[in-house]
Amino acid sequence: MIEFLKALPKAELHVHIEGTLEPELMFKLAKRNHISLPYEDAQALRKAYQFDSLQSFLDLYYQGAAVLIKEQDFYDLTWAYLERCAEQSIYHTEIFFDPQTHTQRGVSFGDVLSGINRAIVDGQQQLGVSALLIMCFLRHLSEQEAMDTLEEAMMYRHYIIGVGLDSSEKGHPPEKFQRVFEKARAAGFVTVAHAGEEGPAQYIWDAMNLLGVKRVDHGVRCVEDPVLVEYLATHKMPLTVCPLSNTKLKVFNTMAEHNILQLLDKGVMVTVNSDDPAYFGGYLVENYMSLYRHLAMTEQQAVQLAINSFNASFLSNSSKRQFIERIKRYSQKKSNSDTKLSD
Ligand code: HPA
Ligand code: ZN
């Protein structure tokens, strides 16, 4: 199964670039930038990655991101992730970045974006991986700070396809950012938002109704409202689900309890994603593999999840069609060779 999943053409729609910062690269950048980390080495840091909630993770995640200072640091970070994409047959990825995590520390928006974008251009040319960028607002910060960030992003409008909402969900409902998202949509950005990860099902309704989102990030708590599940299925509203993240942050106690395949069965357009792979113990293939191991995901379900990942992307319809054709050719070839083996 792992070989099948590794070569299956996939898209990733929910990955925070700051969450791809592996401990080894963190130490390398800390040294380069003369920053000291409160851990002996990468191994000791990895050991500290024990979380009991979203907030306990975010505290370490923001601490880790503090080693990112120069334009080249953002390039190196993004390049390392795109190399992983190439290894795992992730043909297309839609990457979140959190400018406020960096501008608050005095790093310029331009340096963040330039480093990430330079790696994206090289990744397309040298690795054949396509990537789009989504800028997230930190929801624990104020509406005004989000407005200021949006204003700054206007100058780089053509490098950013959409805006999203991340960080601490509880106590920071979608309505806090309604005016920011209205302005973003008027400027031509598509919108997405984290909702229903730790927050209630109502936040999923609010993300759709108040923020006009085209996808819901996480969204797994939708099951608490059967009318909502029905609505998501009928309207083909994609959910970018992150299985390893959900178990590491105790949204589900065990992978066996995860609801992604039940949602798939109900016709909800769920997709598989890694969220913050350096912190949660796996990239996209490891997330698919965990569904195979703990939920008995079949090859057919994996193929459907991969098809969903392209359909739910912000690619053009013709690109979506081409990628989905590749998936179909791939799974056809695989089932032909399986038949031969059993002859
Ligand atoms: N939820 C909210 N904010 C985040 C996450 C997440 O899973 N990952 C990085 N920032
Ligand atoms: Zn996330």
Side-chain angles (χ1 to χ4, degrees):
M1 191 65 160
I2 188 153
E3 292 309 320
F4 175 78
L5 293 174
K6 204 166 167 197
L8 175 67
K10 298 173 288 297
E12 171 145 76
L13 307 177
H14 182 160
V15 59
H16 301 261
I17 201 63
E18 295 87 353
T20 69
L21 179 56
E22 290 288 343
E24 289 73 17
L25 182 57
M26 197 189 292
F27 270 85
K28 186 174 149 190
L29 297 181
K31 191 162 173 216
R32 203 157 87 184
N33 292 325
H34 311 289
I35 292 170
S36 70
L37 291 168
Y39 301 93
E40 185 81 11
D41 53 23
Q43 206 183 351
L45 179 55
R46 253 200 197 92
K47 278 214 184 103
Y49 291 170
Q50 310 285 340
F51 312 113
D52 57 14
S53 64
L54 174 57
Q55 194 59 50
S56 64
F57 153 69
L58 289 171
D59 294 343
L60 274 189
Y61 166 81
Y62 295 130
Q63 183 186 76
V67 302
L68 299 160
I69 309 274
K70 303 210 173 71
E71 195 261 8
Q72 185 65 40
D73 303 340
F74 290 91
Y75 178 94
D76 292 347
L77 172 70
T78 309
W79 179 256
Y81 166 65
L82 293 171
E83 283 188 316
R84 299 277 190 153
C85 290
E87 283 165 22
Q88 296 206 341
S89 309
I90 300 169
Y91 288 82
H92 174 68
T93 177
E94 299 186 355
I95 303 174
F96 291 133
F97 74 114
D98 289 337
Q100 290 162 298
T101 300
H102 314 299
T103 53
Q104 285 213 322
R105 301 180 286 113
V107 176
S108 84
F109 193 114
D111 281 352
V112 175
L113 193 67
S114 163
I116 297 173
N117 187 63
R118 210 156 49 80
I120 287 178
V121 171
D122 285 355
Q124 177 75 67
Q125 282 174 358
Q126 296 171 37
L127 304 169
V129 176
S130 117
L132 296 172
L133 266 183
I134 300 174
M135 173 177 85
C136 282
F137 302 110
L138 300 182
R139 66 204 302 160
H140 67 275
L141 299 180
S142 68
E143 178 195 29
Q144 187 56 49
E145 285 164 296
M147 278 291 188
D148 295 345
T149 304
L150 179 61
E151 197 58 49
E152 205 163 7
M154 292 297 185
M155 205 165 39
Y156 308 101
R157 175 71 200 83
H158 300 295
Y159 297 99
I160 303 170
I161 183 130
V163 302
L165 201 54
D166 65 3
S167 188
S168 326
E169 188 180 4
K170 285 186 189 157
H172 301 286
E175 68 188 55
K176 179 174 167 186
F177 297 95
Q178 189 170 357
R179 284 179 293 208
V180 179
F181 273 58
E182 261 161 28
K183 205 165 165 205
R185 277 183 293 152
F189 292 102
V190 296
T191 61
V192 298
H194 284 52
E197 177 188 17
E198 278 194 346
Q202 184 60 41
Y203 283 15
I204 300 173
W205 284 117
D206 293 346
M208 294 188 293
N209 295 331
L210 307 180
L211 305 182
V213 298
K214 294 276 186 273
R215 289 196 302 248
V216 174
D217 297 312
H218 293 294
V220 289
R221 285 192 58 189
C222 67
V223 291
E224 292 165 25
D225 179 347
V227 178
L228 175 58
V229 174
E230 186 68 38
Y231 181 94
L232 295 170
T234 314
H235 290 81
K236 295 190 167 37
M237 175 60 71
L239 303 186
T240 63
V241 179
C242 308
L244 285 174
S245 165
N246 291 157
T247 49
K248 291 282 186 244
L249 302 187
K250 309 287 189 268
V251 173
F252 296 92
N253 285 324
T254 65
M255 195 60 79
E257 291 165 62
H258 204 290
N259 61 16
I260 183 169
L261 295 186
Q262 288 160 21
L263 289 169
L264 184 68
D265 270 355
K266 290 185 175 151
V268 178
M269 199 197 274
V270 285
T271 62
V272 181
N273 306 274
S274 71
D275 207 5
D276 301 283
Y279 291 86
F280 301 147
Y283 286 77
L284 193 53
V285 167
E286 289 75 24
N287 273 274
Y288 274 87
M289 267 311 282
S290 70
L291 303 183
Y292 167 65
R293 290 212 177 95
H294 300 279
L295 296 171
M297 175 185 70
T298 63
E299 278 186 11
Q300 204 185 356
Q301 285 172 319
V303 165
Q304 187 57 52
L305 288 163
I307 290 174
N308 287 357
S309 73
F310 287 102
N311 273 329
S313 75
F314 297 132
L315 287 166
S316 67
N317 285 335
S318 73
S319 298
K320 286 182 191 182
R321 260 197 307 276
Q322 284 171 22
F323 282 120
I324 290 167
E325 272 312 306
R326 278 174 88 160
I327 296 178
K328 290 189 172 155
R329 276 201 303 275
Y330 172 77
S331 65
Q332 197 60 47
K333 208 166 97 195
K334 171 72 171 49
S335 65
N336 287 346
S337 70
D338 284 354
T339 316
K340 267 195 206 123
L341 279 176
S342 62
D343 278 349

